[in-house]
Amino acid sequence: MVTFVTAAAIRRLQQKTEGAPPKRYSMIVHVETARASHAWQHTVTKEIVDGMAAAARANDAVFDQLVQRSIDDLARSVTAGEYSMPERADLIRDVRDAFVKGGVVTERVNSDNDVQALLDENAELRLRTPFNVFIGGQILDRGITVPNLLGFFYGRSPKKMQQDTVLQHARMYGARPKPDLAVSRFYTTPSNYSMLRRIHEFDAALRHAFLTGAHDRGVAFVMKDDSNRVIPCAPSKILVSNIVALRPNGAFLPFGFQTKAKTDLVRIAAAVMKLIPSDAVDTQAPVKIKSDEAVAILSAIEPSLNSEDGYSFDWEAARAAIEYYSKVAAPPDMRGGCWLFAQTGRTISRKRGGGRYSDAPLSYQERAAFRSLPGSLPILALLQQEGREEDGWRGSPFWWPVLVAPARAAPSIFATSVHESDAADEDDQ
């Protein structure tokens, strides 16, 4: 709430500096569909607004602390976007006025009658003040336009996420001025974030195929059958919640995990080292191995990593991807191979400065170098981390695997489960 009001205050001060009239802004709270829940969320939000107003009037230190924390957060993306950041004193003054003078209002939106009363002449939700918070259910997440949206508190967790429905929910991704984007914030659970990221990768893979003309060659939809063979499957049978999308040179890797205990890691690391050819370790360029060897290495690493709540990694999809790129998609004279890139001595922290889990153990330069590899084979990169306790790990080295799709491959969608029958019939293939 405080960050949303601060974000809107930043944009309004920027607009005043540019000589433009300041706009009004909005935030959506979309957690549950039940109307009783909306009433409670509305009560909680009102208590926050009233509490901030009381703290501001009393010059309570907590008010300045919360606003300063929001400014620090927003300044990172405003500065990264190379936009002007208003003076802190001006921001704190405007945020204080917003809460004290009733500039922050909340509205419940959960029935057609409510909506009609809240719409303006453009059939959009009317923004009555500079800072508007809308709380509601399904009527709010689709079929209605919410203008100047800067904040989205998204907590819905359906058992099965339909891609088109979730993308309607995710107004965060809607077109907006870039200065607005710099102060936009999206709040959700780790599991929802993982699902939204997966849907984005799926959509991006299809978009890449269209923009590059790769759709003429088709987009590969593949899965493993009961006999563990990689086979085509019909796109209509794929559950979005059980897919992995890989674009050319795209990376697929676990993150949001903790390692096993030190005694287990020592045993697992020794087993992994026996599978990695000595000439592949700490070399400047990847070496070629058999895809079956790459799959065996990946399987040996799997027991060493435990996903945190809300995070997961599909090891079976990773193995299927290696086999597909190596044994199905590769040119006949290269089939059965895989590039292996193994480096030691890495010291990445488990979490980044902002508190999110690290997810890029492979450098941009290393990814770029993979594009020049001959042929169309997958790359299995193994980054051995020192696993230091001061970096948030368990005090023992471990291997962090990254699967990189061939730069010349078609966009590919790997399914770990499908609707009804597993394989596509001949026409689908």
Side-chain angles (χ1 to χ4, degrees):
M1 283 291 298
V2 178
T3 301
F4 159 64
V5 175
T6 307
I10 289 173
R11 290 296 293 123
R12 289 170 61 81
L13 284 170
Q14 290 172 335
Q15 288 153 1
K16 289 178 181 177
T17 300
E18 296 165 358
K23 295 181 179 180
R24 298 176 176 184
Y25 289 94
S26 60
M27 174 180 178
I28 282 179
V29 177
H30 180 58
V31 180
E32 297 181 67
T33 58
R35 295 188 60 162
S37 298
H38 304 158
W40 173 241
Q41 292 156 14
H42 186 259
T43 299
V44 171
T45 305
K46 283 284 294 177
E47 288 291 330
I48 292 173
V49 173
D50 293 345
M52 288 295 292
R57 292 190 187 97
N59 291 317
D60 192 323
V62 71
F63 179 88
D64 284 348
Q65 291 169 0
L66 288 169
V67 178
Q68 292 280 12
R69 189 166 65 184
S70 294
I71 292 173
D72 291 341
D73 169 39
L74 293 162
R76 293 180 301 138
S77 49
V78 172
T79 303
E82 300 182 351
Y83 301 112
S84 63
M85 187 69 188
E87 295 291 333
R88 282 181 180 256
D90 294 337
L91 270 175
I92 294 174
R93 179 202 64 215
D94 283 11
V95 173
R96 184 183 302 273
D97 287 347
F99 283 106
V100 171
K101 297 181 179 180
V104 185
V105 299
T106 62
E107 294 278 6
R108 278 179 288 172
V109 186
N110 54 17
S111 78
D112 290 339
N113 291 335
D114 291 338
V115 171
Q116 292 301 321
L118 294 173
L119 297 182
D120 62 15
E121 63 277 7
N122 297 317
E124 298 179 346
L125 281 178
R126 182 182 294 108
L127 304 185
R128 297 193 290 116
T129 73
F131 314 93
N132 302 265
V133 181
F134 297 106
I135 301 167
Q138 289 185 348
I139 190 66
L140 187 59
D141 66 39
R142 65 184 78 175
I144 188 169
T145 300
V146 185
N148 302 339
L149 185 61
L150 295 184
F152 197 172
F153 191 89
Y154 180 67
R156 284 192 64 189
S157 299
K159 293 180 180 179
K160 293 183 179 179
M161 282 194 172
Q162 299 297 325
Q163 178 165 344
D164 55 349
T165 301
V166 175
L167 289 179
Q168 288 180 57
H169 295 179
R171 296 164 186 265
M172 176 69 179
Y173 308 121
R176 67 195 61 215
K178 287 189 176 180
D180 281 4
L181 187 62
V183 294
S184 294
R185 291 295 183 268
F186 182 89
Y187 305 94
T188 192
T189 62
S191 58
N192 279 349
Y193 171 76
S194 176
M195 186 61 61
L196 289 165
R197 176 171 174 158
R198 188 174 295 184
I199 289 174
H200 166 72
E201 290 168 349
F202 179 91
D203 187 62
L206 301 182
R207 185 177 297 274
H208 179 274
F210 181 79
L211 293 177
T212 61
H215 62 288
D216 291 337
R217 292 182 281 121
V219 176
F221 289 82
V222 297
M223 61 167 290
K224 279 195 171 184
D225 65 7
D226 293 336
S227 301
N228 221 30
R229 297 174 302 145
V230 176
I231 60 172
C233 68
S236 61
K237 296 182 181 295
I238 287 180
L239 290 167
V240 174
S241 58
N242 295 307
I243 58 96
V244 173
L246 278 176
R247 286 181 283 174
N249 201 233
F252 182 44
L253 70 158
F255 68 95
F257 62 84
Q258 180 57 282
T259 60
K260 285 284 186 68
K262 187 173 182 179
T263 52
D264 294 323
L265 283 182
V266 171
R267 173 179 51 80
I268 294 171
V272 172
M273 279 302 297
K274 291 180 180 179
L275 299 174
I276 300 175
S278 58
D279 60 350
V281 179
D282 292 329
T283 57
Q284 294 298 314
V287 300
K288 191 182 296 185
I289 64 172
K290 295 179 179 179
S291 61
D292 292 345
E293 294 173 329
V295 168
I297 293 172
L298 203 59
S299 296
I301 293 173
E302 181 178 356
S304 65
L305 312 180
N306 290 328
S307 294
E308 298 287 3
D309 290 342
Y311 294 84
S312 64
F313 180 69
D314 196 329
W315 295 89
E316 190 58 37
R319 287 185 281 264
I322 290 175
E323 294 184 0
Y324 170 75
Y325 287 128
S326 175
K327 298 180 179 181
V328 178
D333 59 334
M334 298 192 71
R335 286 180 183 168
C338 178
W339 294 108
L340 180 64
F341 181 70
Q343 299 292 304
T344 63
R346 301 293 175 97
T347 55
I348 193 171
S349 294
R350 183 164 171 260
K351 290 186 177 181
R352 293 179 281 184
R356 290 173 59 186
Y357 291 103
S358 296
D359 61 358
L362 195 63
S363 73
Y364 174 82
Q365 292 78 8
E366 289 166 338
R367 283 274 298 276
F370 291 164
R371 296 192 187 100
S372 61
L373 289 173
S376 301
L377 294 178
I379 304 103
L380 179 60
L382 305 176
L383 297 313
Q384 188 187 54
Q385 305 296 324
E386 293 294 327
R388 302 179 304 187
E389 291 183 0
E390 57 264 37
D391 292 327
W393 304 109
R394 291 284 180 79
S396 183
F398 67 95
W399 290 96
W400 193 335
V402 181
L403 174 62
V404 181
R408 297 169 182 81
S412 305
I413 312 298
F414 299 92
T416 55
S417 66
V418 296
H419 295 293
E420 299 171 2
S421 60
D422 290 338
D425 38 43
E426 205 168 315
D427 290 338
D428 292 325
Q429 297 177 36

